[in-house]
Amino acid sequence: LILAHLDNAARQVEGRVNYVQYEAGSDQDSFHQRGIPAIALMWERAENLHQPSDTPDTIDMLMVPATGRVTALTLMTLADEP
């Protein structure tokens, strides 16, 4: 359910979405361990993620508003679910 809404939102905002299989060792682990569905939103070119080079100056500032729009649209459409 969440992925369908996320897919719709991402296609409307960015025109594309790619799915990557969940791998342990990410920020959403604590949710998965408790059986709570969780997703991580990431854009291409996240080579610095969780590396010493993962500093604010490596953030793609053009993608920050798009991430916010995708998240907001996903939540808004989920809120309309019965």
Side-chain angles (χ1 to χ4, degrees), residues 24-64:
S26 195
D27 297 335
Q28 71 273 19
D29 272 353
S30 59
F31 295 99
H32 281 284
Q33 291 166 358
R34 290 167 179 80
I36 301 169
I39 58 171
L41 300 177
M42 301 170 73
W43 299 102
E44 293 97 354
R45 301 182 315 273
E47 306 89 23
N48 296 306
L49 187 65
H50 299 165
Q51 302 296 319
S53 57
D54 190 358
T55 58
D57 61 299
T58 63
I59 296 172
D60 183 346
M61 294 310 289
L62 296 176
M63 297 312 293
V64 172

Side-chain angles (χ1 to χ4, degrees), residues 1-10 17-23 26-33 35-42 67 70-75 77-78:
L1 178 66
I2 293 172
L3 288 180
H5 287 273
L6 180 62
D7 183 71
N8 178 55
V17 64
N18 296 317
Y19 296 104
V20 176
Q21 180 65 36
Y22 169 74
E23 294 180 16
S26 195
D27 297 335
Q28 71 273 19
D29 272 353
S30 59
F31 295 99
H32 281 284
Q33 291 166 358
I36 301 169
I39 58 171
L41 300 177
M42 301 170 73
T67 303
V70 168
T71 303
L73 184 55
T74 300
L75 293 173
T77 59
L78 275 170

